Amino acid sequence: MRDCLNHRAGFDRVLMTVAATFLTVSASSALAQDQARSSAAELAIEAAIPRPEPANVPPPTAADIKLDTTATLQDAAKEPAKTEAAPSPDKVEPKPSDVATTPATEAPKSETAKTEPAKTEPAKSEPAKADTATVTPAAPAAPAAAEAPAAEPVKAASNVPAADQPVADKLKDIIGAKTSRHFDRKNERAAIEKFYGARDFAPVWTQGGSLTPAAKGVIARLKDAASDGLNPADYPVPDFAAATTPDALADAELKLTASMFDYARQAQSGRMHWSQVSGDILYPEHPVDPNEVLAKVTTAADASAALDSYNPPHKLYKELKAKLAELRGLGNGPAIEIADGPALKYTPAGKKQAEIVVEDARVPQLRAKLGIAENANDTRYDAAVADAVRKFQSGAEMKATGILDDKTVKALNTPKRDKQIDVVLVNMERWRWLPRDLGAPALGDAYVILNIPDYTLKVMQRGQQVWTTRVVTGKPGTHATPLLTETMKYITVNPTWNVPPSIVYNEYLPALQQDPTVLQRMGLKLEQNRDGSVHISQPPGEANALGRIRFNFPNKFLVYQHDTPDKNLFARDDRAFSHGCMRVQYPDQYASVLLNITMPNEKYTPERVRSMYGKSEIDLKFPTPVPVNITYQTAFVDDAGKLQFRKDVYGRDATMINILKNNRGKDLEAVVAHSQPSYSRPATTLPSGVAVANNGGGFGSSGPNFFERLFGPPTPPPAPVGRRPQRVFTR
């Protein structure tokens, strides 16, 4: 019996083990199936959404579920299964927005509220949210939407005021027609299309038919164009008062815009392009951008000032503008008359005679007339007065004697106002050609400015004159010094003079026909290439035509500034004697000033520069180039505030006055093509007896050209400052 019980107990243990194993396997299988049914996204959502406690969620009642009033009966009847298939309350999960905005204790109310359609916005009402995953409001609404007629596309609302809409429509038609009735320049037409298109073609100069403040400012500036040396007739102002229809207002709108463009363009760059005057002028272009003009003027607090800002900002231009007003009778102060009397002459001291200074009661008036501020009441006709009289005579195209005679007194009392006004006008015009920034910002706005008719050179920095000297410039005609803006990149001490081809073929070779030894006696070296062309040079030295220093600002005219062994010419009043280059009176001082501006830590002095004089070329390169502006100022205001006139040595004034007066209606802003300077070296047969340095053993036509001989390669590699062997090119 005991054995049976023992066997039965063992059997029970086996059954219990099998049952436990079966239950374990079943549970694992069910768990695996449950996990398989839950995707990764579902598990992430369930983990992210907090669940309310099941005990706090009562089962929904019939009152909690309301019918969708936006659905039809037919659609509602088709969905009974989905409504009955709603999960039990313990499976209902509130939306994150519900949980975030509603306390947990009010969760049932939140769910109930969600099932009701919005009372204030019927279009957004929703069906019951008992199961947001299965009840979709868009489906039952689709048939109703399909039955409604197709709605017409809604036209975008216009930002144009109703009073201006008719004008805007006309502007759109005119601008869209792409005709050139108002704008001939493509960039201006493109700017108009962009500007007005961005504002729905609303007018900018009128509002409800009345002029805007911007329009009044622009009109005032255009009507006062004469004060800036421009012609108001070139910028017509439409009659807005007579424009009573949308067509007329739209036409006036575009006409005023066109006049504004013309003013801004000519105020900045000039009424005539510099190429209209001569082929030896080269200034950088700085055209206006019509898009910028529209944006700047129409948004400015003062449209007149904004438009006026396109005129040159330079101090000398503004001073000429003030003097123009005085010449036109708009200035202040009484006219000064010089009485008749004996001729007054100043005689400087000489080797055998003392200085002779005469006195006269008219001299104080003469000092005031000529703008001599020092010793205003002094009655002596001294060197300062005589020099001022001499400059006046030169500007009046009289013989510059410095003697106050009857002819000079008459010229002082009855100046040719009309001619002086014309001279001031063309000088203001030439200021428009120059760059707006004359200097280098990295060097404290330093620059060099040379005035050809005044024969002076000035170094400027931070708006102040740093240094000045006298210069000799080119002779009138083919050797005139060109007008240009370039950058001085380096100084050459002990330069070689590579004679320009024009001098070689027009002067030296004809001289060789008369005297084969003339070049040897002048210390010049002649080299002939295999192609028969000739190159003449002069080695460095005291007698070199360039003196001891050359100031290099490479340009297409091949001109530069340099020293000279002929110092006597600087004592003359008229100093137009060179072949186009500019000779500087004190080159060692000039070099030290420029070197101290570009390399202030090097502490250059004129003595240090002179210590480099020798027979080998030395290039001193500037880390930052210095702008050089060659100008032609026959009218300017001096440091004492006096309007000065200089002789029109190259006839530039006469040419410009003639163009402005006799070419009305022509496009003077167009660029005129000129023949470029020729530096060709044709083959030449030399007369017998001429000494040739290389005896035909030089390079062929592939050797360095004249520009490279003069200034080196176009982009020379950087070299250390200091002495280096003389550069020798064998041609």
Side-chain angles (χ1 to χ4, degrees):
M1 186 68 180
R2 190 165 37 252
D3 293 335
C4 290
L5 290 175
N6 290 337
H7 288 297
R8 178 63 181 267
F11 181 74
D12 290 341
R13 283 194 297 271
V14 171
L15 287 178
M16 291 176 64
T17 302
V18 171
T21 303
F22 176 79
L23 290 174
T24 302
V25 172
S26 298
S28 299
S29 176
L31 180 60
Q33 291 177 4
D34 184 68
Q35 290 175 344
R37 283 194 302 267
S38 299
S39 66
E42 291 172 339
L43 292 174
I45 293 173
E46 291 178 0
I49 300 176
R51 300 172 179 270
E53 293 295 332
N56 295 333
V57 184
T61 63
D64 295 327
I65 302 176
K66 294 187 178 181
L67 296 178
D68 185 1
T69 58
T70 62
T72 62
L73 285 174
Q74 181 179 1
D75 295 328
K78 291 181 180 179
E79 300 291 335
K82 291 185 179 180
T83 304
E84 293 174 1
S88 59
D90 60 333
K91 295 290 185 180
V92 175
E93 298 176 5
K95 292 184 177 180
S97 60
D98 300 335
V99 176
T101 58
T102 308
T105 56
E106 298 180 1
K109 293 182 182 180
S110 175
E111 290 296 320
T112 303
K114 288 286 182 178
T115 62
E116 297 181 4
K119 292 183 172 59
T120 57
E121 299 183 21
K124 293 185 179 180
S125 60
E126 300 179 0
K129 293 293 182 69
D131 188 352
T132 58
T134 58
V135 181
T136 307
E147 294 173 5
E152 295 182 0
V154 179
K155 185 178 180 180
S158 174
N159 294 323
V160 181
D164 295 327
Q165 189 62 54
V167 181
D169 293 339
K170 294 297 180 182
L171 285 171
K172 184 176 182 180
D173 293 341
I174 296 174
I175 295 173
K178 296 187 180 298
T179 60
S180 59
R181 182 157 59 105
H182 297 94
F183 307 97
D184 294 330
R185 290 173 169 78
K186 291 182 179 180
N187 63 337
E188 292 179 358
R189 167 159 289 282
I192 285 296
E193 293 174 356
K194 179 180 178 181
F195 176 78
Y196 281 97
R199 51 187 291 115
D200 293 334
F201 298 93
V204 71
W205 306 128
T206 60
Q207 190 171 14
S210 300
L211 288 175
T212 62
K216 294 177 181 178
V218 169
I219 291 172
R221 183 76 258 143
L222 298 182
K223 289 184 175 180
D224 193 39
S227 67
D228 284 304
L230 302 173
N231 188 350
D234 293 336
Y235 321 107
V237 175
D239 187 359
F240 282 92
T244 57
T245 65
D247 282 325
L249 284 170
D251 185 66
E253 173 87 14
L254 296 179
K255 284 181 177 178
L256 182 59
T257 305
S259 291
M260 179 187 69
F261 278 161
D262 290 343
Y263 180 95
R265 192 179 61 252
Q266 295 183 1
Q268 176 148 314
S269 299
R271 286 183 285 174
M272 71 177 75
H273 192 268
W274 39 260
S275 62
Q276 297 271 346
V277 180
S278 175
D280 56 4
I281 304 175
L282 183 62
Y283 287 120
E285 304 282 359
H286 47 272
V288 297
D289 179 2
N291 293 285
E292 190 265 348
V293 174
L294 278 169
K296 180 177 182 178
V297 176
T298 59
T299 59
D302 186 343
S304 178
L307 193 54
D308 180 55
S309 68
Y310 290 99
N311 285 292
H314 313 109
K315 175 176 178 285
L316 289 176
Y317 169 84
K318 294 179 179 179
E319 290 174 342
L320 280 179
K321 178 179 177 179
K323 293 301 180 182
L324 176 64
E326 293 181 10
L327 288 174
R328 286 172 168 166
L330 304 178
N332 298 322
I336 300 174
E337 294 287 333
I338 307 299
D340 294 333
L344 303 180
K345 179 181 179 180
Y346 167 76
T347 304
K351 293 182 179 179
K352 296 182 179 180
Q353 66 177 17
E355 179 186 37
I356 300 176
V357 179
V358 298
E359 293 194 28
D360 192 286
R362 298 172 295 168
V363 174
Q365 287 77 24
L366 186 61
R367 290 177 181 271
K369 186 82 172 181
L370 297 175
I372 304 174
E374 295 182 3
N375 303 320
N377 298 320
D378 193 343
T379 59
R380 295 180 304 158
Y381 192 85
D382 56 15
V385 179
D387 186 58
V389 169
R390 187 180 296 107
K391 289 181 178 179
F392 170 80
Q393 292 169 332
S394 178
E397 298 186 4
M398 302 169 62
K399 187 176 181 180
T401 62
I403 300 174
L404 183 70
D405 52 18
D406 292 340
K407 187 178 179 180
T408 303
V409 170
K410 183 178 179 180
L412 284 166
N413 290 334
T414 57
K416 299 177 181 179
R417 288 285 174 127
D418 291 343
K419 182 176 181 180
Q420 289 181 336
I421 289 173
D422 288 340
V423 171
V424 170
L425 289 176
V426 294
N427 275 272
M428 293 173 71
E429 180 77 1
R430 285 193 288 266
W431 274 107
R432 304 183 196 280
W433 300 345
L434 288 166
R436 287 299 181 262
D437 296 322
L438 297 176
L443 300 175
D445 291 323
Y447 62 91
V448 173
I449 186 166
L450 186 146
N451 184 6
I452 293 173
D454 193 46
Y455 306 109
T456 54
L457 177 152
K458 296 180 180 180
V459 179
M460 307 292 292
Q461 188 178 34
R462 297 181 180 88
Q464 302 296 322
Q465 176 180 304
V466 176
W467 186 79
T468 186
T469 189
R470 290 186 167 200
V471 296
V472 172
T473 60
K475 293 179 287 188
T478 57
H479 296 303
T481 298
L483 308 184
L484 56 84
T485 290
E486 265 298 346
T487 54
M488 187 184 299
K489 298 175 175 59
Y490 64 102
I491 294 172
T492 301
V493 182
N494 309 315
T496 296
W497 181 38
N498 295 291
V499 183
S502 60
I503 300 179
V504 170
Y505 288 91
N506 296 332
E507 299 181 27
Y508 285 174
L509 291 183
L512 284 175
Q513 301 294 333
Q514 303 295 326
D515 181 1
T517 65
V518 64
L519 296 184
Q520 285 180 288
R521 288 187 285 105
M522 293 175 62
L524 300 177
K525 181 174 64 175
L526 185 148
E527 302 165 276
Q528 188 168 29
N529 303 315
R530 289 194 299 268
D531 61 4
S533 61
V534 171
H535 174 254
I536 299 176
S537 62
Q538 185 179 27
E542 186 177 357
N544 188 283
L546 306 185
R548 289 295 190 175
I549 306 176
R550 184 179 67 211
F551 303 87
N552 306 287
F553 41 96
N555 57 86
K556 75 171 188 177
F557 303 107
L558 302 184
V559 297
Y560 41 86
Q561 297 164 355
H562 62 87
D563 182 18
T564 177
D566 300 323
K567 304 290 186 180
N568 61 301
L569 296 177
F570 292 109
R572 301 192 183 186
D573 292 321
D574 295 328
R575 297 187 289 276
F577 298 109
S578 78
H579 282 77
C581 290
M582 295 138 277
R583 306 173 190 173
V584 182
Q585 185 173 15
Y586 301 110
D588 52 346
Q589 297 179 22
Y590 185 30
S592 65
V593 168
L594 294 176
L595 290 168
N596 283 324
I597 288 176
T598 57
M599 295 181 284
N601 295 330
E602 296 294 328
K603 309 297 182 183
Y604 276 93
T605 62
E607 293 76 18
R608 180 179 175 185
V609 172
R610 291 195 299 271
S611 69
M612 301 178 186
Y613 291 174
K615 294 185 178 181
S616 297
E617 285 190 349
I618 303 172
D619 285 345
L620 303 175
K621 300 183 183 297
F622 297 160
T624 301
V626 179
V628 176
N629 303 282
I630 311 300
T631 68
Y632 193 85
Q633 303 173 53
T634 55
F636 60 92
V637 179
D638 62 17
D639 295 337
K642 176 67 179 177
L643 178 61
Q644 298 286 346
F645 291 96
R646 294 293 179 265
K647 184 179 178 180
D648 185 15
V649 61
Y650 294 163
R652 301 287 184 253
D653 288 353
T655 300
M656 294 178 66
I657 291 171
N658 178 64
I659 290 175
L660 290 175
K661 288 188 174 182
N662 301 321
N663 289 273
R664 299 292 302 167
K666 293 185 179 180
D667 185 7
L668 301 180
E669 298 175 61
V671 178
V672 176
H674 295 275
S675 58
Q676 296 300 306
S678 175
Y679 305 111
S680 61
R681 301 185 300 272
T684 301
T685 300
L686 299 174
S688 60
V690 175
V692 180
N694 61 344
N695 196 23
F699 294 104
S701 59
S702 61
N705 59 32
F706 181 74
F707 187 94
E708 292 171 342
R709 285 178 179 271
L710 182 60
F711 296 120
T715 53
V721 176
R723 295 180 179 270
R724 64 182 182 82
Q726 174 185 353
R727 293 181 298 182
V728 178
F729 295 100
T730 305
R731 298 289 286 176

PDB file of all heavy atoms in Angstrom, residues 31 81 177 262 373 384 519 530 570 633 649 721:
ATOM      1  N   LEU A  31       2.546  36.157 -24.790  1.00  0.00           N
ATOM      2  CA  LEU A  31       3.324  37.405 -24.675  1.00  0.00           C
ATOM      3  C   LEU A  31       4.014  37.742 -25.983  1.00  0.00           C
ATOM      4  O   LEU A  31       4.053  38.893 -26.415  1.00  0.00           O
ATOM      5  CB  LEU A  31       4.354  37.254 -23.546  1.00  0.00           C
ATOM      6  CG  LEU A  31       5.247  38.500 -23.315  1.00  0.00           C
ATOM      7  CD1 LEU A  31       4.390  39.699 -22.952  1.00  0.00           C
ATOM      8  CD2 LEU A  31       6.249  38.196 -22.203  1.00  0.00           C
ATOM      9  N   ALA A  81     -21.143  49.464 -37.307  1.00  0.00           N
ATOM     10  CA  ALA A  81     -20.152  48.523 -36.794  1.00  0.00           C
ATOM     11  C   ALA A  81     -19.005  49.244 -36.132  1.00  0.00           C
ATOM     12  O   ALA A  81     -18.507  48.828 -35.103  1.00  0.00           O
ATOM     13  CB  ALA A  81     -19.656  47.633 -37.935  1.00  0.00           C
ATOM     14  N   ALA A 177       3.931  97.260 -71.345  1.00  0.00           N
ATOM     15  CA  ALA A 177       4.024  97.377 -72.801  1.00  0.00           C
ATOM     16  C   ALA A 177       5.466  97.327 -73.285  1.00  0.00           C
ATOM     17  O   ALA A 177       5.726  97.099 -74.465  1.00  0.00           O
ATOM     18  CB  ALA A 177       3.369  98.675 -73.256  1.00  0.00           C
ATOM     19  N   ASP A 262      17.941 110.758 -64.739  1.00  0.00           N
ATOM     20  CA  ASP A 262      18.883 111.584 -65.506  1.00  0.00           C
ATOM     21  C   ASP A 262      19.719 112.456 -64.581  1.00  0.00           C
ATOM     22  O   ASP A 262      20.931 112.602 -64.766  1.00  0.00           O
ATOM     23  CB  ASP A 262      18.126 112.451 -66.508  1.00  0.00           C
ATOM     24  CG  ASP A 262      17.515 111.639 -67.643  1.00  0.00           C
ATOM     25  OD1 ASP A 262      17.942 110.485 -67.840  1.00  0.00           O
ATOM     26  OD2 ASP A 262      16.607 112.152 -68.322  1.00  0.00           O
ATOM     27  N   ALA A 373      44.901 137.581 -47.469  1.00  0.00           N
ATOM     28  CA  ALA A 373      44.429 137.816 -46.103  1.00  0.00           C
ATOM     29  C   ALA A 373      45.502 138.456 -45.217  1.00  0.00           C
ATOM     30  O   ALA A 373      45.189 139.238 -44.309  1.00  0.00           O
ATOM     31  CB  ALA A 373      43.955 136.505 -45.483  1.00  0.00           C
ATOM     32  N   ALA A 384      54.174 139.421 -52.404  1.00  0.00           N
ATOM     33  CA  ALA A 384      52.928 138.654 -52.317  1.00  0.00           C
ATOM     34  C   ALA A 384      51.861 139.241 -53.232  1.00  0.00           C
ATOM     35  O   ALA A 384      51.132 138.501 -53.922  1.00  0.00           O
ATOM     36  CB  ALA A 384      52.436 138.621 -50.873  1.00  0.00           C
ATOM     37  N   LEU A 519      74.075 110.734 -80.056  1.00  0.00           N
ATOM     38  CA  LEU A 519      73.624 109.964 -78.889  1.00  0.00           C
ATOM     39  C   LEU A 519      74.776 109.664 -77.943  1.00  0.00           C
ATOM     40  O   LEU A 519      74.602 109.669 -76.715  1.00  0.00           O
ATOM     41  CB  LEU A 519      72.959 108.661 -79.345  1.00  0.00           C
ATOM     42  CG  LEU A 519      71.679 108.804 -80.173  1.00  0.00           C
ATOM     43  CD1 LEU A 519      71.079 107.430 -80.463  1.00  0.00           C
ATOM     44  CD2 LEU A 519      70.661 109.670 -79.450  1.00  0.00           C
ATOM     45  N   ARG A 530      67.319  92.110 -83.890  1.00  0.00           N
ATOM     46  CA  ARG A 530      67.452  91.377 -85.146  1.00  0.00           C
ATOM     47  C   ARG A 530      66.353  91.735 -86.135  1.00  0.00           C
ATOM     48  O   ARG A 530      66.522  91.587 -87.337  1.00  0.00           O
ATOM     49  CB  ARG A 530      67.445  89.871 -84.866  1.00  0.00           C
ATOM     50  CG  ARG A 530      68.712  89.375 -84.185  1.00  0.00           C
ATOM     51  CD  ARG A 530      68.809  87.858 -84.237  1.00  0.00           C
ATOM     52  NE  ARG A 530      67.692  87.224 -83.560  1.00  0.00           N
ATOM     53  CZ  ARG A 530      67.725  86.869 -82.283  1.00  0.00           C
ATOM     54  NH1 ARG A 530      68.821  87.128 -81.556  1.00  0.00           N
ATOM     55  NH2 ARG A 530      66.692  86.280 -81.727  1.00  0.00           N
ATOM     56  N   PHE A 570      61.736 125.289 -62.919  1.00  0.00           N
ATOM     57  CA  PHE A 570      60.770 125.413 -61.819  1.00  0.00           C
ATOM     58  C   PHE A 570      60.569 126.863 -61.393  1.00  0.00           C
ATOM     59  O   PHE A 570      59.579 127.176 -60.730  1.00  0.00           O
ATOM     60  CB  PHE A 570      61.233 124.575 -60.623  1.00  0.00           C
ATOM     61  CG  PHE A 570      61.189 123.096 -60.872  1.00  0.00           C
ATOM     62  CD1 PHE A 570      62.363 122.378 -61.012  1.00  0.00           C
ATOM     63  CD2 PHE A 570      59.987 122.425 -60.993  1.00  0.00           C
ATOM     64  CE1 PHE A 570      62.336 121.015 -61.248  1.00  0.00           C
ATOM     65  CE2 PHE A 570      59.947 121.066 -61.238  1.00  0.00           C
ATOM     66  CZ  PHE A 570      61.122 120.354 -61.369  1.00  0.00           C
ATOM     67  N   GLN A 633      42.471 121.637 -63.320  1.00  0.00           N
ATOM     68  CA  GLN A 633      41.665 122.629 -62.623  1.00  0.00           C
ATOM     69  C   GLN A 633      42.092 124.035 -63.052  1.00  0.00           C
ATOM     70  O   GLN A 633      43.074 124.572 -62.547  1.00  0.00           O
ATOM     71  CB  GLN A 633      41.821 122.486 -61.112  1.00  0.00           C
ATOM     72  CG  GLN A 633      41.462 121.110 -60.562  1.00  0.00           C
ATOM     73  CD  GLN A 633      41.800 120.988 -59.093  1.00  0.00           C
ATOM     74  OE1 GLN A 633      41.383 121.813 -58.276  1.00  0.00           O
ATOM     75  NE2 GLN A 633      42.573 119.971 -58.738  1.00  0.00           N
ATOM     76  N   VAL A 649      45.725 125.816 -70.659  1.00  0.00           N
ATOM     77  CA  VAL A 649      46.941 125.510 -71.399  1.00  0.00           C
ATOM     78  C   VAL A 649      46.723 124.449 -72.470  1.00  0.00           C
ATOM     79  O   VAL A 649      47.365 124.494 -73.536  1.00  0.00           O
ATOM     80  CB  VAL A 649      48.057 125.084 -70.416  1.00  0.00           C
ATOM     81  CG1 VAL A 649      47.664 123.844 -69.629  1.00  0.00           C
ATOM     82  CG2 VAL A 649      49.369 124.866 -71.147  1.00  0.00           C
ATOM     83  N   VAL A 721      62.867  95.101 -50.127  1.00  0.00           N
ATOM     84  CA  VAL A 721      63.301  96.482 -50.266  1.00  0.00           C
ATOM     85  C   VAL A 721      64.805  96.559 -50.049  1.00  0.00           C
ATOM     86  O   VAL A 721      65.349  95.995 -49.103  1.00  0.00           O
ATOM     87  CB  VAL A 721      62.557  97.377 -49.252  1.00  0.00           C
ATOM     88  CG1 VAL A 721      63.088  98.800 -49.335  1.00  0.00           C
ATOM     89  CG2 VAL A 721      61.072  97.350 -49.516  1.00  0.00           C
TER      90      VAL A 721
END
